[in-house]
Amino acid sequence: MTLLVTVFAAIICTAAWYRSAEARQLRAGTLSLMYWGASLMWLVDAISEYAELGAEAFIPAPLDMLNDLYLGLSVVALGLVIWLAILLVRDPKGVVRAVLTRKAA
């Protein structure tokens, strides 16, 4: 489930980055790369679990699926928090700089 959540987030973010020049300016590519990296990590995890457990790896208990869903959503939320921190530091549109200089004057 974690793999599905992060792959869907990566696809949505990549599509937004590809279609919109504003999304490229807002560094949506960085967010997209974070989600693709998480997806790759979960894919490797699924392959290693399959190598260890065999076909039983694809028959999880409902509680395990719910926990995996929460973990996937947490990873997506953490990626958004990191991306927002990058936006605040880089300030591509100059919004934070404008607010800080207005208060300083």
Side-chain angles (χ1 to χ4, degrees):
M1 187 63 80
T2 52
L3 177 61
L4 289 175
V5 171
T6 54
V7 166
F8 285 140
I11 289 170
I12 291 168
C13 189
T14 302
W17 169 80
Y18 186 75
R19 294 186 66 125
S20 172
E22 184 177 3
R24 285 190 289 277
Q25 182 185 9
L26 293 176
R27 307 180 69 76
T30 303
L31 182 62
S32 175
L33 288 175
M34 283 192 280
Y35 289 154
W36 282 117
S39 299
L40 181 63
M41 178 186 69
W42 295 123
L43 178 65
V44 170
D45 180 58
I47 290 170
S48 67
E49 190 173 354
Y50 177 72
E52 183 179 318
L53 298 176
E56 292 178 13
F58 296 111
I59 309 170
L63 187 59
D64 291 338
M65 288 180 63
L66 184 63
N67 286 337
D68 286 347
L69 175 66
Y70 288 149
L71 180 60
L73 292 174
S74 298
V75 167
V76 170
L78 180 62
L80 284 172
V81 167
I82 293 170
W83 177 65
L84 287 173
I86 290 170
L87 274 182
L88 289 174
V89 170
R90 298 286 173 130
D91 195 20
K93 290 191 170 190
V95 175
V96 176
R97 189 176 309 119
V99 169
L100 291 176
T101 56
R102 189 176 339 134
K103 285 187 178 181

